[in-house]
Amino acid sequence: MIRWFVMTLIICPLLLPQSRAADWRQFRGNFTDSVAVGQSLPTELSQSVVIWQSALPGRGLSGPIIVGDQVVITASSGYYDDRLHIISLDAATGLQVWERRFQATGRTSTHPTMCVATPTPASDGERIYAFYSSNDLVCTDMEGNLQWYRGLGEEFPNASNSLGMSSSPIVIGATVIAQAESEAESFVIGVETSSGETKWILDRPRKSNWSSPTVLPTEGGRSALALLQSAAGLTAVDPDTGTILWSYQDEASRIPSSTVSDGMIIMPSSSNGLTILQPSTDGTSYTLIRSARNARPARPSPLVADGKIYSVNSSGVLSAASFDTGKRLWQMRLDGQFSSTPLASNGHLFFFSESGMATVVRPTEETGTIVSQLDLTEKIQCSPAVANHALYIRSDAHLWKFAKRD
Amino acid sequence: MFRSVLLLLAVLSPAASRLAADGPSIDVLRNVQGATGATVARAAFRTLTSVGATNLIPILEGFQGATRVGTNWLRGAFETIAATEIEAGRNLPADELTEFIQDVGNDPSARRLGYEWLLQQDETLKQRIVPDLLQDADPDFRRDAVAMLIDQAETSEGQQATELYRQALKGAVHDDQVKTIAAALESAGEPVDLQTHFGFMPEWKIVGPFDNREMKGYAVAYPPESEFDLTAVYDGQLDTVSWQNIATDDDYGIVNIAEQIENYKGSVMYAVTMFRSAAAQDVQFRLGTPNAWKLWLNGELMFEREEYHRGTQMDQYRVPVSLRSGGNTILLKICQNEDEQGWAQRYQYQLRVSDSAGAAILPSGENHD
């Protein structure tokens, strides 16, 4: 674990040149691992730690991101769900700073449980990159001024899924990486962050895929890599050139995404359960460590914290396994079903069920104990964000900020 | 001094504001396509938004004929300027915007954008203009107008309520509103012909099955793709096959191959129908199917999609096409795979012809409602 912290400190400036340590800039955080380090979050959840609750102008499975003093979130609205919103809120007050609305240029059909604003936006601290199920990729500056607009739904007219698309973009260096995979057409694109121009495009397996790219930090001054997951396995890609460095052939899950922790890749595999790969320090090769067939996360991505791997199955059962050995340590049943990837911070785990139940669990080597629960009474399918000792979560209708009172 | 006064008058008058508008910058934005042009567009965006309210109406005018991405550039510029004006405590140009919104010759989505921003400073706007937009080219205006009529009908009784529902039906293009209206009219003894209201195509000729085992038939051009001969007999997957009539009385025009014919697993069916258009016109084919498909109009492939069993819904696919005056041949290729799961057994399609707002366009000679 110490190695992970050291590597984080080394990589952080390379990955995000203007990184603010307190920001949460993309799906599952800056390192796409859902771990919030050095944050003091409230563990006794109640209305007393709700700092604010803001109404949103549309639906969304996308999570919030936090850049400086702004909380940025996307939403979609309209009868055909074709109105695309980017909303910036003041992190201190929850009041809207600005909102921009665009019209989807690609398909907007989704399953009723999904919507067009399903991918979480990303930021590099200078710009916001909002991606939607319609494959519209929109870049604004931090004041909402449009910087560039890619109608990828027009450029790749068959790269859609009638159930909806959900892959969240990531930013590595000067490249925003957006993945869109379906039975009919699939691609991943690396777009230059400042110009919106295409740096590279890769064909991807023609198979439906809702997973998101993962950041693979590397050592030795090399830029972090992008891990792309699909039914064909896991592929490591140089974000600057699109060069494929290696591919691990396995039937990877197509909903939960891979996680990187302590220099290891934890990949959810449909056939082999949670699979651990150890990349070389420069990221250019990998070694298969082991697979755990008894650990099969459903929709939430796996989470690694304090030497344990956590996964939530389709029945809402939380499993904890040893990160070093893969041995299952304990299980506990949580209330409800989960789409949201849990969050680890300061020795606690934070879960949000689809029915809106927020649950804080304190894990030990032997068991997990529910510390507190708060029923938010609204459907929640996004993953939480953390910045400046505050936790943010959204439903279709609202965005909440939780923090300890001074 | 005299010159200064003239200049001031010129700046304040609507006509002059258009003269002062930054046409070249608007042209840049309205023509943006794909990845190209973003750098130039960004500069044009900055120029437009720095000038401010003078460019609001010209930006909306620029929507006409703009690319879809270009429309979003214009939208972003409009919203940036409008938000700046409101934050500065200045009113948006209400008279000009109202005039633009009410001119149905302007781009529907531009009119709607102007309306939504003007509504923020004029709460009476909706009551003043929306009732006249029941059959507008913008579906959101229609929706608002229909909703107002439904609200009135729900607080009315008897013939007055029925008449309000009849009016609402004339504008309704969204299924949730149509269902509400149809239920009310049904209760009043006036059943609604939903098939006709939405413009579904209920009568087809169909031929098959052809082989699609291992989903290989999707890429095979069987004879119906290359010849139009409704008397032909072909070698099919199981036997010789010929064109048969098939019709549906489903409210939503669903032709259910699995139930009405047979759920041939690993097969291809071709269905053809004729649409007689009163004039050459641009329309949308709105298709719903859980099966892989290809769609031709007058022998030209319009779109194709190889996706199986990811759900289906009305208006799942919207394919813009240009009809010619007179007869138009619509050919569908519908493919079933061999998956055995319960959710992978549907073999069906529904197709309707509509305008861009979703209002039915019926074959010439048929009356609407």
Side-chain angles (χ1 to χ4, degrees):
Chain A
M1 194 55 65
I2 291 172
R3 182 182 165 203
W4 184 86
F5 284 119
V6 172
M7 192 151 67
T8 299
L9 291 171
I10 293 170
I11 293 306
C12 204
L14 296 173
L15 178 70
L16 303 163
Q18 284 87 36
S19 162
R20 297 183 185 90
D23 286 356
W24 186 277
R25 293 182 173 180
Q26 53 199 10
F27 178 54
R28 299 187 294 152
N30 297 355
F31 293 93
T32 58
D33 60 2
S34 298
V35 175
V37 178
Q39 300 287 323
S40 177
L41 301 178
T43 55
E44 294 291 338
L45 293 184
S46 68
Q47 288 297 335
S48 68
V49 295
V50 175
I51 302 300
W52 49 255
Q53 174 182 341
S54 293
L56 297 173
R59 294 186 59 204
L61 281 71
S62 59
I65 60 171
I66 295 90
V67 186
D69 56 4
Q70 296 186 64
V71 183
V72 177
I73 196 153
T74 61
S76 53
S77 67
Y79 183 77
Y80 289 110
D81 207 28
D82 54 1
R83 183 70 63 90
L84 314 178
H85 304 250
I86 307 174
I87 308 115
S88 169
L89 304 173
D90 178 11
T93 64
L95 297 175
Q96 183 177 298
V97 180
W98 52 262
E99 180 190 5
R100 293 291 179 269
R101 294 170 293 180
F102 301 96
Q103 194 73 22
T105 62
R107 284 186 68 209
T108 59
S109 291
T110 68
H111 188 274
T113 59
M114 290 181 70
C115 69
V116 174
T118 291
T120 295
S123 177
D124 55 8
E126 294 181 30
R127 305 174 198 85
I128 294 158
Y129 310 95
F131 194 43
Y132 300 86
S133 176
S134 56
N135 288 341
D136 288 85
L137 179 60
V138 189
C139 175
T140 72
D141 65 17
M142 297 310 298
E143 285 76 49
N145 296 305
L146 187 60
Q147 299 299 293
W148 47 263
Y149 197 111
R150 294 294 298 269
L152 299 175
E154 283 192 311
E155 296 177 45
F156 303 88
N158 249 324
S160 67
N161 187 315
S162 294
L163 298 176
M165 307 282 272
S166 71
S167 183
S168 299
I170 60 172
V171 181
I172 301 177
T175 309
V176 56
I177 298 160
Q179 189 176 359
E181 301 185 8
S182 72
E183 270 94 354
E185 187 177 15
S186 296
F187 69 91
V188 60
I189 188 168
V191 176
E192 216 283 325
T193 51
S194 61
S195 70
E197 293 186 1
T198 301
K199 296 175 83 170
W200 49 267
I201 296 172
L202 297 177
D203 285 336
R204 296 285 293 160
R206 275 182 52 185
K207 191 85 173 175
S208 58
N209 185 6
W210 295 272
S211 71
S212 299
T214 299
V215 175
L216 174 62
T218 60
E219 294 178 350
R222 183 181 189 128
S223 168
L225 304 179
L227 295 175
L228 307 175
Q229 186 176 314
S230 75
L234 197 66
T235 302
V237 174
D238 182 325
D240 198 43
T241 63
T243 304
I244 295 174
L245 299 173
W246 54 262
S247 291
Y248 171 66
Q249 307 289 325
D250 188 12
E251 190 181 352
S253 298
R254 291 178 285 147
I255 298 179
S257 305
S258 293
T259 300
V260 175
S261 181
D262 203 14
M264 299 285 193
I265 301 166
I266 301 91
M267 185 196 83
S269 163
S270 299
S271 51
N272 294 310
L274 280 181
T275 297
I276 311 292
L277 305 175
Q278 182 173 27
S280 59
T281 53
D282 63 358
T284 57
S285 62
Y286 71 92
T287 304
L288 172 63
I289 303 301
R290 63 169 185 274
S291 292
R293 289 176 182 270
N294 62 352
R296 295 178 183 277
R299 293 176 181 172
S301 300
L303 172 66
V304 179
D306 301 323
K308 289 181 274 298
I309 304 176
Y310 301 99
S311 59
V312 181
N313 70 14
S314 57
S315 301
V317 173
L318 167 64
S319 296
S322 164
F323 183 68
D324 290 334
T325 66
K327 181 186 175 186
R328 179 182 289 166
L329 300 174
W330 48 264
Q331 288 186 302
M332 65 183 292
R333 185 176 293 276
L334 302 169
D335 288 337
Q337 294 188 313
F338 294 81
S339 289
S340 166
T341 292
L343 173 92
S345 183
N346 202 22
H348 290 78
L349 308 174
F350 296 76
F351 298 86
F352 294 87
S353 74
E354 291 190 4
S355 66
M357 181 63 76
T359 302
V360 180
V361 172
R362 183 167 52 81
T364 65
E365 292 302 307
E366 295 76 29
T367 188
T369 304
I370 292 178
V371 175
S372 66
Q373 288 189 300
L374 176 63
D375 190 355
L376 297 171
T377 70
E378 294 181 25
K379 189 170 189 176
I380 293 178
Q381 294 172 279
C382 80
S383 299
V386 173
N388 295 313
H389 309 294
L391 182 149
Y392 301 84
I393 192 80
R394 72 93 59 89
S395 68
D396 275 341
H398 294 99
L399 173 65
W400 289 268
K401 176 182 179 180
F402 297 89
K404 291 177 180 174
R405 299 280 179 183
D406 292 333
Chain B
M1 177 61 75
F2 181 65
R3 189 177 166 199
S4 298
V5 171
L6 277 182
L7 192 60
L8 181 62
L9 287 172
V11 168
L12 292 177
S13 74
S17 75
R18 297 182 193 199
L19 288 175
D22 187 349
S25 293
I26 292 170
D27 276 345
V28 167
L29 295 189
R30 63 196 298 278
N31 290 310
V32 175
Q33 294 205 38
T36 59
T39 302
V40 179
R42 240 183 344 269
F45 182 95
R46 278 195 297 270
T47 303
L48 272 180
T49 53
S50 64
V51 172
T54 304
N55 281 317
L56 283 173
I57 298 296
I59 287 171
L60 293 180
E61 290 171 341
F63 275 55
Q64 198 78 264
T67 65
R68 298 180 79 180
V69 170
T71 298
N72 276 322
W73 273 100
L74 294 171
R75 193 177 291 274
F78 184 92
E79 293 206 339
T80 298
I81 295 170
T84 302
E85 292 298 298
I86 290 172
E87 283 166 17
R90 293 189 289 269
N91 281 333
L92 301 179
D95 291 343
E96 285 181 271
L97 278 171
T98 304
E99 182 185 342
F100 182 87
I101 294 161
Q102 291 181 309
D103 183 348
V104 295
N106 289 324
D107 181 87
S109 61
R111 291 169 51 231
R112 181 72 190 187
L113 177 62
Y115 166 79
E116 290 178 356
W117 277 89
L118 190 54
L119 194 60
Q120 295 180 33
Q121 73 179 42
D122 181 1
E123 292 178 354
T124 70
L125 187 66
K126 184 174 182 180
Q127 288 293 338
R128 285 194 289 114
I129 72 166
V130 166
D132 293 332
L133 304 177
L134 182 64
Q135 293 179 294
D136 199 80
D138 179 79
D140 291 329
F141 277 136
R142 280 177 173 255
R143 185 174 182 81
D144 287 349
V146 169
M148 291 171 81
L149 286 168
I150 291 175
D151 286 346
Q152 291 174 43
E154 286 176 345
T155 56
S156 304
E157 293 180 351
Q159 275 303 312
Q160 187 185 9
T162 302
E163 178 53 31
L164 287 165
Y165 281 121
R166 284 193 205 112
Q167 286 182 44
L169 185 63
K170 290 178 181 172
V173 292
H174 293 158
D175 187 39
D176 61 334
Q177 291 186 324
V178 171
K179 277 193 169 81
T180 299
I181 296 164
L185 289 175
E186 174 90 34
S187 297
E190 294 186 18
V192 175
D193 179 350
L194 293 174
Q195 246 189 27
T196 302
H197 178 81
F198 283 117
F200 285 107
M201 302 294 290
E203 295 181 354
W204 297 76
K205 288 185 181 295
I206 196 164
V207 65
F210 297 91
D211 194 357
N212 190 36
R213 284 171 295 179
E214 299 177 7
M215 296 184 286
K216 291 179 178 174
Y218 176 84
V220 176
Y222 291 109
E225 295 183 27
S226 55
E227 64 178 28
F228 182 64
D229 180 1
L230 296 178
T231 64
V233 175
Y234 303 116
D235 290 331
Q237 184 178 22
L238 307 172
D239 202 343
T240 57
V241 294
S242 58
W243 292 95
Q244 308 292 322
N245 291 322
I246 188 168
T248 177
D249 58 4
D250 179 81
D251 282 346
Y252 290 85
I254 294 173
V255 177
N256 195 326
I257 297 169
E259 289 186 5
Q260 293 178 255
I261 303 176
E262 188 171 331
N263 187 13
Y264 299 111
K265 299 299 292 181
S267 77
V268 169
M269 302 290 286
Y270 290 92
V272 68
T273 193
M274 182 70 72
F275 187 95
R276 183 161 292 282
S277 180
Q281 57 183 323
D282 293 335
V283 302
Q284 291 184 354
F285 286 168
R286 296 193 173 198
L287 175 71
T289 179
N291 305 98
W293 56 276
K294 296 185 182 185
L295 173 65
W296 291 263
L297 172 63
N298 298 325
E300 185 180 349
L301 183 65
M302 295 286 104
F303 202 78
E304 62 178 292
R305 180 164 176 81
E306 193 175 14
E307 179 187 65
Y308 293 89
H309 303 300
R310 293 296 178 197
T312 185
Q313 55 187 284
M314 178 179 162
D315 296 350
Q316 187 175 2
Y317 304 103
R318 281 183 260 180
V319 183
V321 300
S322 298
L323 296 177
R324 64 192 179 201
S325 179
N328 291 269
T329 305
I330 303 168
L331 175 67
L332 256 177
K333 180 179 190 176
I334 298 288
C335 306
Q336 175 66 300
N337 65 9
E338 297 165 275
D339 288 353
E340 294 181 352
Q341 299 93 330
W343 45 261
Q345 301 312 306
R346 286 195 287 186
Y347 199 4
Q348 64 184 56
Y349 66 89
Q350 57 183 162
L351 187 142
R352 70 188 188 106
V353 183
S354 80
D355 63 18
S356 59
I361 293 179
L362 299 178
S364 61
E366 294 189 26
N367 294 320
H368 188 195
D369 298 326

